[in-house]
Amino acid sequence: MASLPLLVDCDPGIDDAIALSYLAAHPGTEIAGIISTGGNVEVAAVHRNNLVLAEQLGLEAPIARGAERPLVQEPIFADDTHGPGGLGHAVLPAPAGTGDPRNGAQLWVDLARARPGELVGLVLGPHTNLALALEIEPELPRLLRRLHFMGGAINHRGNTGPTSEWNIAVDPEAAQRVLAAFTGAPQRPVMGSLEATETVRFTQDTLDRFTELAEATGHPIAQILVDALRFYFEFHEADGFGWMAHVHDPLVAAHAVTEDFASIRPLTVDVELAGTLTRGQTVGDELGRWGRAPNLDVLTDVRPEEFIEHLLETLHAGLGRPGGA
Ligand code: BDR
Ligand code: CA
């Protein structure tokens, strides 16, 4: 099977860590580069997490640290959701390396220029570094094979503000600039927004299966995921959702790789920047009132149970191989 090369921009983050582990374990992927974007926790902690996760997963891709802060607004962090270090209760070793010397925006540009038309961009955090990369290389939408991202909420409540989703709320200007730049790209970007990703509900049974994964494979990453997930469950319970966790990023990663587990529908979407109550909302023009062509393909009709089975099978096979992922 030919490998799908991915450039992953993420902010681990508990669900980001599961997504990275999935991508490393999947036999049909090549992680070509990782960008650390501040979001769930500050960029220094995100970068340390990416370094450790990549080392534990045996990834040799360049890992570049991104910007210190969003384009315009003050940084916000989600340590209540992901823990003070970003990976819940997991205790990580210190990373052996420091990563690639380039900044995150430059890595986006260099890798995309080096492999025109090949790389799939996968953004699992705020869009800050991709927006900065577009300032260096406005041709990025045509240099990438396709862009997939987790973010937004269409006709669905927010998880940050009443109408805003976290990845967009952290840096709304960056998200707006990315959507504008990718309008008319050869392939419409694929957006996995909350109404799709919140169908992926991990329960105690799923948590038990991650514990079994750790026991069966003995892989250190699996124990990190168990300890991280426990924190995610505690957060969701404290937030009123009960003993479960919405696990967003892995679905978007898996759809980028397999084009499976969900359908897509075209939609014209823009980001509210000025609303006094709704800043950071992704507004979908369902009835075509703006007269603008669809600029995104939005994930819909998710098959969450099938996806969770696929996720666990992929992790078992990849982490269970001698020397895996
Ligand atoms: C998104 O925000 C982050 O907390 C998660 O990692 C995910 O990317 C969900 O709104
Ligand atoms: Ca994330």
Side-chain angles (χ1 to χ4, degrees), residues 6-7 35 67 72 81 87 111 119 147 167 184-185 197 215 231 240 258 267 273 292 313-314:
L6 294 130
L7 184 46
I35 320 291
V72 175
T81 313
L87 291 175
L111 294 185
L119 295 179
L147 177 69
N167 288 339
T197 63
E215 287 165 3
F231 190 98
T258 64
L267 186 64
L273 297 179
R292 287 156 49 184
E313 275 167 23
T314 305

Side-chain angles (χ1 to χ4, degrees), residues 9-17 40 82 123-126 150 165-167 232 248-249:
D9 187 326
C10 58
D11 63 337
I14 294 166
D15 54 336
D16 302 77
N40 288 323
H82 294 270
V123 178
L124 303 177
M150 191 283 134
E165 181 279 331
W166 176 259
N167 288 339
Y232 221 20
H248 307 274
D249 295 339

Side-chain angles (χ1 to χ4, degrees), residues 2-137:
S3 267
L4 183 72
L6 294 130
L7 184 46
V8 186
D9 187 326
C10 58
D11 63 337
I14 294 166
D15 54 336
D16 302 77
I18 300 171
L20 266 185
S21 305
Y22 163 82
L23 292 172
H26 195 288
T29 64
E30 171 206 340
I31 298 186
I34 299 176
I35 320 291
S36 304
T37 291
N40 288 323
V41 285
E42 59 176 351
V43 67
V46 164
H47 192 50
R48 185 209 54 203
N49 292 343
N50 271 331
L51 291 171
V52 174
L53 291 167
E55 286 166 11
Q56 302 277 338
L57 288 164
L59 298 172
E60 283 169 10
I63 304 174
R65 177 175 162 148
E68 292 296 323
R69 42 172 301 131
L71 298 184
V72 175
Q73 71 182 28
E74 291 301 313
I76 51 171
F77 300 113
D79 42 350
D80 59 337
T81 313
H82 294 270
L87 291 175
H89 295 299
V91 179
L92 301 186
T98 54
D100 194 275
R102 286 167 286 188
N103 70 54
Q106 195 62 51
L107 190 64
W108 266 106
V109 172
D110 288 353
L111 294 185
R113 281 178 179 160
R115 300 172 73 172
E118 279 185 46
L119 295 179
V120 167
L122 176 63
V123 178
L124 303 177
H127 285 87
T128 311
N129 289 295
L130 179 51
L132 292 170
L134 283 160
E135 287 179 13
I136 307 170
E137 178 50 278

Side-chain angles (χ1 to χ4, degrees), residues 267-272 281-293 295:
L267 186 64
T268 309
V269 177
D270 211 335
V271 180
E272 176 60 82
Q281 180 176 354
T282 45
V283 181
D285 183 14
E286 300 280 1
L287 296 178
R289 301 291 196 235
W290 295 334
R292 287 156 49 184
N295 60 336

Side-chain angles (χ1 to χ4, degrees), residues 131-255:
L132 292 170
L134 283 160
E135 287 179 13
I136 307 170
E137 178 50 278
E139 284 302 304
L140 263 185
R142 284 154 293 282
L143 288 170
L144 291 173
R145 175 162 163 177
R146 195 167 199 180
L147 177 69
H148 295 247
F149 67 93
M150 191 283 134
I154 299 293
N155 304 326
H156 187 83
R157 57 146 178 77
N159 65 355
T160 303
T163 60
S164 61
E165 181 279 331
W166 176 259
N167 288 339
I168 309 292
V170 169
D171 197 340
E173 278 76 13
Q176 193 274 337
R177 285 184 207 178
V178 167
L179 293 200
F182 277 80
T183 298
Q187 290 266 27
R188 277 193 292 267
V190 177
M191 173 168 87
S193 35
L194 284 185
E195 71 285 359
T197 63
E198 283 193 354
T199 64
V200 179
R201 296 165 54 91
F202 279 18
T203 61
Q204 179 61 46
D205 176 60
T206 333
L207 190 53
D208 290 343
R209 295 184 65 190
F210 271 80
T211 305
E212 284 163 23
L213 174 75
E215 287 165 3
T217 63
H219 199 293
I221 215 76
Q223 191 58 48
I224 289 174
L225 298 184
V226 170
D227 294 338
L229 273 171
R230 219 164 16 90
F231 190 98
Y232 221 20
F233 275 63
E234 288 163 8
F235 160 74
H236 281 83
E237 187 169 55
D239 209 25
F241 288 99
W243 187 247
M244 53 77 70
H246 292 127
V247 177
H248 307 274
D249 295 339
L251 172 72
V252 180
H255 183 266

